[in-house]
């Protein structure tokens, strides 16, 4: 060993290529890493020019071009550390320029982890900027768009480049994260990029024309890069870069137009908004924008009549040339005064229906609207008393998917016989003018942190996060809170309970009431807090003011009553539950079991966009800070039904392979169709990104879930299954038809299938009508052949005459036998075929079935099906 060490100190180390061979030998022996490090340092110390030596080594070896920690990366990193101890080896002048020219050629091929060390070692930040730009331009015109962008970012060349020219190829190649990084440190470039993307969202703009300008695009999928995808991207970037949305008028107009459609749906289809509330939002949405006003008139013609459209045209002061003929004619006849008869009719309609809802049991004089600090004193005195029970709720203006976090506009605090409505923005503004801006946050902190005061809420942690977004001083309130009762937790316990409330008649009464409401066309079945109020107090909350513009002042009387009722009903619910918890299936020691800190979301779930999470066993729970720490009861795929938004069709197909009941939206479907299907069929909505904000408000608590759209279908499915605690077994794999979602199959013996295939050929040869339709070959299995009865819907009926009026087939369905390849029927191991009873598609166990099923091994692992995993091993 001593002899080897002595020889390594000799001139052999002065030749970079001999040094490389020595290092390569040591690199293959993992246990000699320490000696490798020493050899690198000794070798560079013996080189006449260590910087040139490193380039000789990299140019003579190719192992560093791959991903991961290569020998080249290890040598480069060690040299960088060694140079800090020996700064004299640094080069300058012409010698450095020559080295920089050489290293730039290597940078075009090297992996990302080598860029920073090489840029540092060869001082590329000091190189001639025009030369660097020329090198990047060469990469760009060669079609190496990603490499050009990465090098530009590392060398901070962006201010001297064309942002459109550099970023658009990245967008076409689905390198969106790299595109964002390119403009990440330059606000001016961020604005330019957003303006370009907004231009692409103009109606009639052809994105493919732009793509033709760039040669050699890889991974470009024209159908994926559409206006809807770009619109989502623009909104995300607006939020990330905190840019004024007015910079992107096209996407803002399109979002406002979708908001208009949603408002019309809420008002005229669901009938869950009052006229005043709806009018406020419509006026706020269209503003002075004539393009939106024109669309408003068209919607009014569709949903209402020409007279209503003409009145709005008059209100918007639209020029006659923008109006449809019918509206222009109606405008000529229109009288200026409002129709007293119509107003009275609307008022009478709403008054008649108020008796069906929860009624606030206190006089109007006991509702106090507070806007100044001196008005807060009476609230302070009554609320901050030991032993007090206080109900708290909050309201904010709905965002309708626009950029920004909700800011609380109204804080409702209810005590026995009184409600205080705190105009939070005005109170904070008034306190700041008086130089006492800490007073209001201090009051709220005292209220939430006092364990002697019981605080009631519904989904309190979510409210607290909105409160923190409104006032920075209130950040972290969820950790300081004590003595809180989140009635959302009670709601979940009630729904989990198997007791039939009110001696068995409770559920039947509720279902009957909900059906009558639907029959009358008055409103949709209740959900969330409104449903809890109905369960406990007998009548639901009137939620027609829920989507009000809570920022607008003065508040309407209907808004004030709604806000007070929303808080005060919590007091009445709590009082009734405490009197007789056992009758509702709750623990007799209700107060002790519920009072504590608000449940906070586990750290591992913080990436779920603070979304509502449906519990698989039927109870409603929230996946943001509102969820409890108890996992939901495990369920099988046959008990789990979902509707996938149109950007998640891959996830839908994957879940269908696992036996989950999946409906999928088509590409042209509006996102809100998912909410209609979910309500009608009791499904959970799976969506992603901005549509989640819209859809979650249209279904019950916990019936909408958002997944990461950038992940692959397998990772998305793992997230969904784990979150809902869905346990997949081997028998669930392929238990549904992947084409039509049916889970009923016809089991046909091989010999009978042979007869059907031959009969189909003869029928086709005689010019008759074939009993089958073409189908693609798909070697998969629909159930375990040893257990043919374990499907989601029961048994696999034996087929006696599957052609024509087949036993077990739906009316009009014929078996697709024509595409069964020759030779499949001759396989000795095949005994049965399985035919979908809805679409007629034929399945059989192909030779590669084991490999196909093994792809789902991770799914079985995560759901804990160890026995099934063993079968696949």
């Amino acid at each position: 060993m001593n002899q080897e060490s002595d020889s390594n100190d000799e001139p052999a180390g002065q030749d970079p290529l001999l040094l490389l061979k020595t290092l390569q030998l040591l690199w293959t022996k993992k246990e000699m890493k320490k000696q490798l490090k020493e050899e690198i340092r000794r070798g560079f110390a013996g080189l006449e020019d260590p910087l040139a030596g490193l380039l000789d080594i990299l140019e003579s070896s190719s192992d560093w071009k791959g991903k991961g920690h290569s020998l080249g990366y290890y040598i480069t990193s060690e040299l960088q550390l060694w140079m800090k101890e020996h700064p004299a080896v640094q080069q300058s002048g012409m010698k450095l320029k020559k080295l920089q020219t050489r290293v730039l050629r290597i940078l075009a091929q090297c992996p990302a982890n080598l860029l920073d060390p090489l840029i540092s070692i060869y001082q590329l930040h000091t190189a001639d900027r025009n030369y660097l730009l020329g090198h990047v331009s060469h990469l760009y015109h060669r079609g190496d768009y990603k490499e050009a962008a990465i090098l530009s970012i590392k060398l901070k060349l962006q201010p001297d480049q064309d942002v459109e020219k550099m970023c658009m190829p990245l967008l076409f190649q689905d390198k969106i994260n790299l595109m964002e990084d390119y403009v990440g440190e330059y606000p001016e470039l961020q604005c330019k990029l957003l303006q370009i993307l907004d231009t692409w969202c103009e109606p009639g703009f052809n994105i493919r024309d732009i793509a033709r300008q760039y040669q050699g695009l890889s991974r470009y999928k024209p159908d994926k890069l559409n206006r809807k995808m770009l619109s989502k991207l623009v909104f995300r970037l607006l939020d990330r870069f905190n840019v004024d949305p007015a910079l992107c008028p096209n996407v803002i107009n399109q979002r406002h137009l979708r908001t208009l459609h949603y408002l019309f749906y809420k008002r005229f289809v669901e009938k869950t908004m009052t006229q005043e509330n709806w009018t406020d939002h419509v006026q706020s949405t269209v503003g002075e924008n004539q393009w939106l006003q024109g669309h408003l008139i068209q919607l009014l013609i569709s949903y209402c009549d020409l007279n209503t459209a003409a009145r709005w045209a008059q209100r918007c002061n639209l020029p006659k040339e923008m109006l449809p003929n019918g509206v222009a004619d109606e405008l000529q006849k229109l009288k200026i005064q409002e129709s007293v008869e119509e107003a009275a009719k609307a008022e009478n309609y709403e008054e008649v229906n108020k008796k069906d809802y929860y009624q606030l049991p206190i006089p109007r004089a006991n509702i106090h609207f507070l806007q100044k600090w001196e008005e807060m004193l009476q609230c302070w005195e009554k609320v901050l008393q030991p032993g007090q029970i206080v109900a708290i709720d909050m309201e904010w203006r709905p965002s309708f998917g626009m950029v920004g976090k909700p800011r609380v506009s109204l804080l409702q605090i209810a005590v026995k016989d009184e409600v205080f409505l705190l105009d939070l923005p005005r109170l904070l503004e008034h306190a700041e003018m008086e130089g006492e801006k800490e007073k209001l946050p201090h009051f709220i902190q005292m209220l939430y942190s006092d364990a002697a005061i019981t605080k009631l809420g519904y989904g309190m942690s979510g409210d607290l996060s909105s409160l923190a977004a409104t006032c920075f001083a209130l950040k972290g309130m969820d950790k300081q809170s004590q003595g809180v009762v989140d009635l959302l937790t009670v709601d979940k316990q009630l729904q989990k309970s198997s007791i039939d409330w009110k001696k068995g008649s409770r559920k039947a009464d509720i279902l009957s009431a909900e059906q009558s409401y639907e029959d009358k066309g008055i409103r949709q079945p209740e959900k969330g807090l409104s449903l809890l109020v109905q369960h406990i107090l007998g009548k639901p909350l009137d939620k027609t003011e829920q989507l009000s513009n809570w920022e607008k002042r003065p508040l309407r009387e209907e808004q004030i009553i709604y806000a007070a009722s929303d808080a005060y009903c919590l007091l009445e619910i709590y009082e009734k539950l405490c009197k007789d918890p056992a009758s509702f299936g709750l623990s007799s020691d209700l107060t002790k079991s519920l009072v504590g800190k608000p449940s906070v979301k586990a750290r591992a779930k913080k990436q779920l966009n603070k979304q509502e999470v449906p519990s698989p066993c039927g109870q409603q729970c929230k996946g943001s800070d509102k969820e409890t720490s108890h996992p939901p009861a495990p369920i099988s795929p046959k008990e789990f039904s979902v509707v996938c938004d149109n950007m998640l069709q891959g996830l839908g197909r994957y879940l269908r392979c696992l036996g989950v009941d999946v409906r999928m939206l088509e590409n042209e479907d509006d996102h809100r169709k998912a909410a209609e299907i979910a309500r009608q069929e009791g499904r959970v909505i799976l969506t992603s990104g901005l549509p989640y904000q819209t859809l979650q408000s249209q279904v019950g608590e916990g019936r909408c879930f958002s997944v990461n759209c950038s992940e692959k279908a397998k990772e998305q499915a793992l997230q969904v299954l784990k979150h809902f605690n869905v346990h997949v077994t081997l028998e669930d794999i392929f238990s549904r038809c992947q084409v039509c979602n049916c889970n009923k199959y016809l089991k046909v013996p091989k010999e009978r299938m042979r007869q059907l295939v031959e009969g189909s050929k003869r029928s086709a040869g005689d010019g008759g009508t074939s009993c089958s339709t073409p189908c693609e070959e798909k070697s998969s299995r629909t159930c375990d052949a040893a257990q043919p009865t374990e499907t989601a819907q029961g048994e696999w009926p034996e087929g006696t005459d599957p052609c024509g009026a087949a036993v077990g087939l739906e009316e009009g369905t014929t078996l697709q036998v024509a595409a069964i390849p020759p030779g499949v029927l001759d396989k000795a191991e095949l005994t049965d075929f399985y035919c979908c009873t809805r679409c007629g598609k034929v399945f059989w166990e192909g030779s590669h079935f084991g490999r196909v099923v093994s792809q789902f091994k991770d799914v079985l692992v995560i759901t804990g099906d160890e026995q099934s995993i063993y079968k696949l091993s």
Side-chain angles (χ1 to χ4, degrees):
M1 180 65 70
N2 292 335
Q3 290 178 351
E4 289 181 5
S5 299
D6 293 338
S7 65
N8 285 333
D9 289 329
E10 294 302 315
Q14 295 176 1
D15 184 342
L17 300 186
L18 289 177
L19 174 61
L20 174 61
K21 288 183 179 180
T22 303
L23 299 179
Q24 286 174 333
L25 181 63
L26 292 173
W27 178 254
T28 60
K29 301 175 182 178
K30 302 297 182 183
E31 67 278 2
M32 303 186 71
K33 282 294 179 67
K34 183 177 180 182
Q35 186 178 345
L36 173 65
K37 180 177 180 180
E38 294 173 354
E39 194 67 36
I40 291 173
R41 289 174 168 261
R42 195 161 42 242
F44 278 117
L47 291 175
E48 182 181 350
D49 186 347
L51 273 65
L54 175 62
L55 294 180
D56 290 337
I57 289 172
L58 294 178
E59 288 168 350
S60 302
S61 172
S62 60
D63 81 298
W64 52 269
K65 294 180 182 180
K67 295 182 179 179
H69 292 290
S70 60
L71 174 59
Y73 172 77
Y74 195 83
I75 295 172
T76 305
S77 300
E78 285 300 322
L79 174 61
Q80 190 177 18
L81 294 172
W82 181 79
M83 287 176 63
K84 291 180 180 178
E85 301 168 9
H86 304 82
V89 302
Q90 292 283 5
Q91 300 286 358
S92 60
M94 286 302 299
K95 200 168 186 179
L96 177 61
K97 286 185 178 180
K98 290 180 180 180
L99 292 174
Q100 290 173 340
T101 301
R102 287 179 65 187
V103 79
L104 280 173
R105 289 196 292 269
I106 292 176
L107 289 180
Q109 309 171 60
C110 75
N113 61 357
L114 264 176
L115 286 174
D116 287 329
L118 291 176
I119 289 172
S120 173
I121 291 171
Y122 296 96
Q123 307 171 57
L124 285 178
H125 288 297
T126 67
D128 181 74
R129 197 166 182 83
N130 289 327
Y131 180 74
L132 295 176
L133 288 168
H135 180 75
V136 169
S137 179
H138 174 70
L139 290 175
Y140 181 91
H141 288 103
R142 203 170 70 185
D144 296 332
Y145 303 115
K146 182 185 80 169
E147 291 76 9
I150 292 174
L151 195 54
S152 298
I153 294 170
K154 296 293 185 182
L155 298 174
K156 301 187 182 301
L157 302 176
Q158 300 98 307
D160 296 322
Q161 294 174 322
D162 184 334
V163 66
E164 180 175 8
K165 176 182 170 183
M166 295 298 296
C167 288
M168 293 311 102
L170 303 178
L171 181 61
F172 286 125
Q173 293 181 305
D174 201 22
K175 304 288 183 184
I176 294 176
N177 290 339
L178 181 57
M179 182 184 73
E180 293 179 33
D181 291 342
Y182 181 85
V183 300
E185 297 180 10
Y186 302 93
E188 184 179 346
L189 297 184
Q190 294 166 9
C191 293
K192 285 182 180 179
L193 175 62
L194 283 165
Q195 286 176 315
I196 293 166
L197 295 176
D198 183 64
T199 302
W200 287 20
C201 293
E202 286 181 1
F205 188 90
N206 192 341
I207 299 173
R208 299 191 186 201
D209 290 342
I210 303 294
R212 294 189 189 101
Q213 301 174 17
Y214 303 98
Q215 301 298 319
L217 289 175
S218 62
R219 302 179 63 184
Y220 171 47
K221 297 179 180 179
D223 296 334
K224 184 177 179 181
L225 195 63
N226 52 43
R227 192 173 292 112
K228 183 182 288 187
M229 173 267 182
L230 286 173
S231 178
K232 294 176 185 177
L233 175 61
V234 168
F235 272 99
R236 186 166 63 79
L237 295 182
L238 284 171
D239 190 37
R240 175 183 170 178
F241 298 140
N242 196 24
V243 174
D244 184 0
L247 196 68
C248 303
N250 288 308
V251 294
I252 297 299
N253 283 344
Q254 290 297 330
R255 182 58 57 86
H256 282 319
L257 181 58
R258 287 195 288 274
T259 298
L260 269 184
H261 281 276
Y262 176 66
L263 291 171
F264 272 83
Y265 177 82
K266 297 294 285 185
R267 173 63 183 160
F268 298 106
V269 179
E270 279 194 351
K271 303 184 187 302
T272 53
M273 292 184 80
T274 63
Q275 178 66 34
E276 295 85 352
N277 189 3
W278 179 82
T279 300
D280 279 350
H281 281 304
V282 168
Q283 288 177 328
S284 173
T285 300
V286 300
E288 301 296 322
N289 189 313
Q290 287 195 344
W291 184 80
L292 289 171
Q293 290 171 350
H295 280 279
L296 170 62
I297 300 303
Q298 294 291 346
L299 287 169
L300 287 165
I301 294 173
S302 300
Y303 282 89
C304 304
D305 51 37
L306 290 174
N307 182 273
T308 307
R311 290 178 182 277
W312 275 92
Q314 185 183 53
R315 177 181 293 184
C316 295
N317 198 25
L318 278 173
K320 289 185 179 180
E321 56 269 20
M322 285 189 61
L323 301 177
N325 290 333
V327 177
D329 295 339
E330 189 69 26
L331 193 58
Q332 296 296 325
K333 309 171 190 176
L334 188 63
K335 295 181 180 179
I336 298 176
Q337 67 271 23
E338 292 287 334
S339 170
V340 178
E341 181 180 349
E342 286 298 319
K345 187 189 295 184
E347 186 177 332
N348 181 58
Y349 171 81
E350 291 176 8
E351 189 64 37
V352 166
N353 286 280
K354 282 185 178 179
K355 69 180 188 303
D356 294 329
Y357 295 99
Y358 168 82
Q359 299 296 307
L360 191 63
I362 62 174
R364 174 63 178 83
N366 289 14
I367 304 174
H368 312 286
F369 187 70
L370 312 179
Q371 290 185 299
K372 296 182 180 180
W373 179 250
E374 47 268 26
E375 299 171 343
M376 278 288 300
L377 297 178
Q378 57 171 325
C379 174
W380 186 302
E381 293 173 357
K382 293 205 172 184
V383 170
L384 299 181
Q385 292 185 14
Q388 183 69 280
I389 299 176
V390 181
I392 304 172
D393 192 35
M394 302 173 201
E395 307 293 345
W396 51 79
R397 180 180 178 177
S399 63
F400 297 119
M402 298 301 286
V403 177
K405 296 179 180 179
R407 297 173 66 84
V408 177
S409 299
L410 195 70
L411 175 63
Q412 303 106 278
I413 300 177
V415 294
K416 185 67 174 174
D417 296 328
E418 284 191 275
V419 179
F420 300 95
L421 306 180
L422 279 59
D423 188 349
L424 216 57
R426 303 300 187 280
L427 284 168
L428 289 170
E429 181 183 348
H430 186 261
E432 189 166 358
M433 289 173 59
E434 298 292 326
E436 299 175 332
K437 63 180 182 179
E438 300 301 326
K439 271 193 173 182
L440 183 59
H442 179 60
F443 164 71
I444 296 172
Q445 288 168 342
M446 287 178 63
L447 172 60
Y448 273 100
S449 60
D450 192 339
I453 302 174
T454 300
K455 279 78 63 177
L456 309 176
Y458 189 88
M460 293 183 74
S461 293
D463 287 345
L464 287 172
S465 65
S466 296
L467 200 58
T470 308
C471 179
F472 183 78
L474 296 175
K475 194 171 183 180
M477 276 295 303
D478 53 338
K479 298 175 182 177
Q480 304 170 21
S481 299
Q482 299 184 73
V484 299
V485 177
D486 195 336
L487 290 176
L488 174 65
T489 306
V490 182
D491 195 2
K492 286 181 276 187
Q493 291 185 18
L494 288 174
Q495 293 178 58
K496 192 174 181 180
S497 171
S498 60
I499 293 179
D500 291 329
W501 301 328
K502 289 195 174 179
K503 298 181 179 179
S505 64
R506 183 71 181 169
K507 293 180 181 177
D509 289 344
I510 293 168
L511 291 173
S512 175
E514 289 180 356
Q515 184 61 48
S516 68
Y517 293 141
E518 287 186 352
D519 293 341
K520 293 176 185 176
I522 296 174
R523 66 173 183 271
Q524 299 294 313
E526 305 303 330
K527 56 191 178 184
L529 177 58
S530 179
L531 183 59
L532 178 63
V533 174
Q534 184 176 17
H535 285 173
I536 306 300
L537 304 179
K539 291 183 179 181
L541 280 174
D542 183 356
K543 305 294 283 186
T544 52
E545 294 294 338
Q546 183 179 30
L547 292 177
S548 293
N549 182 356
W550 292 100
E551 291 180 359
K552 186 178 179 181
R553 298 291 183 269
L555 293 177
R556 289 177 284 104
E557 186 66 16
E558 294 84 357
Q559 289 178 289
I560 291 174
I561 298 300
Y562 167 82
S565 301
D566 226 15
Y568 201 86
C569 68
L570 301 175
L571 291 174
E572 295 201 89
I573 290 173
Y574 184 70
E575 182 181 5
K576 193 160 186 177
L577 290 176
C578 286
K579 282 183 179 178
D580 190 9
S583 67
F584 295 97
L586 301 173
S587 168
S588 58
D589 194 1
L590 179 69
T591 305
K592 184 178 179 181
S593 63
L594 292 180
V595 176
K597 291 189 176 183
S599 55
V600 180
K601 182 178 177 181
R603 184 175 182 181
K605 296 182 181 177
K606 285 186 177 178
Q607 298 176 359
L608 295 181
N609 304 325
K610 296 189 175 181
Q611 60 194 330
E612 298 178 351
V613 177
S615 168
C617 54
Q619 71 266 30
Q620 297 162 350
C621 41
K622 291 197 177 181
S624 62
D625 297 334
K626 297 180 181 178
E627 72 173 355
T628 61
S629 58
H630 303 291
I635 60 170
S636 68
K638 65 177 71 113
E639 299 173 281
F640 188 44
S641 60
V642 302
V643 52
C644 284
D645 212 338
N646 44 27
M647 82 287 283
L648 297 175
Q649 292 174 351
L651 170 62
R653 288 189 290 270
Y654 196 96
L655 290 175
R656 199 176 274 175
C657 288
L658 304 179
V660 176
D661 180 3
V662 180
R663 282 197 61 178
M664 289 183 280
L665 265 58
E666 300 297 332
N667 289 331
E668 63 274 9
D669 288 336
D670 188 275
H671 296 293
R672 284 171 291 197
K673 185 177 179 181
E676 297 176 23
I677 294 172
R679 287 194 299 265
Q680 293 167 5
E681 302 179 14
R683 295 176 181 270
V684 170
I685 299 174
L686 300 182
T687 185
S688 181
L690 292 171
Y692 169 74
Q693 304 298 335
T694 302
L695 292 172
Q696 66 153 338
S697 65
Q698 298 184 35
V699 292
E701 298 280 357
R703 308 304 296 173
C704 185
F705 183 78
S706 178
V707 299
N708 187 345
C709 199
S710 65
E711 292 182 341
K712 294 183 179 179
K714 181 179 178 180
E715 283 69 33
Q716 293 172 341
L718 288 171
Q719 180 188 4
V720 171
L721 296 174
K722 183 176 181 181
H723 199 72
F724 296 116
N725 207 6
V726 181
H727 282 207
V728 181
T729 66
L730 189 59
E731 286 71 30
D732 294 315
I733 305 295
F734 299 131
S735 62
R736 282 188 177 274
C737 175
Q738 298 162 49
V739 177
C740 69
N741 195 46
C742 178
N743 59 354
K744 293 182 181 179
Y745 293 81
L746 190 70
K747 181 179 176 182
V748 181
K750 181 168 68 174
E751 291 307 314
R752 180 60 181 138
M753 183 60 74
R754 190 189 304 275
Q755 295 171 11
L756 292 171
V757 171
E758 292 172 354
S760 172
K761 292 177 180 177
R762 285 197 302 271
S763 177
D766 295 338
T769 305
S770 174
C771 69
S772 65
T773 55
C775 70
E776 61 188 53
E777 177 185 355
K778 186 156 187 172
S779 296
S780 62
R781 186 178 69 172
T782 52
C783 80
D784 191 321
Q787 297 175 324
T789 61
E790 294 186 4
T791 67
Q793 291 288 335
E795 297 187 356
W796 300 66
E798 296 285 348
T800 57
D801 185 15
C803 204
V807 174
L809 291 181
E810 294 185 6
E811 184 177 354
T813 300
T814 56
L815 295 185
Q816 302 179 26
V817 298
I820 298 178
V824 170
L825 288 164
D826 297 327
K827 292 184 177 180
E829 66 272 16
L830 270 182
T831 58
D832 298 295
F833 289 79
Y834 301 97
C835 312
C836 176
T837 60
R838 181 180 299 164
C839 69
K841 189 168 180 64
V842 181
F843 299 88
W844 64 93
E845 183 174 336
S847 58
H848 60 284
F849 175 72
R851 292 196 305 273
V852 173
V853 174
S854 67
Q855 296 175 9
F856 301 106
K857 196 172 181 179
D858 291 343
V859 175
L860 299 171
V861 168
I862 202 163
T863 56
D865 188 3
E866 297 179 2
Q867 186 176 1
S868 297
I869 297 166
Y870 177 76
K871 291 180 184 178
L872 295 178
S873 299

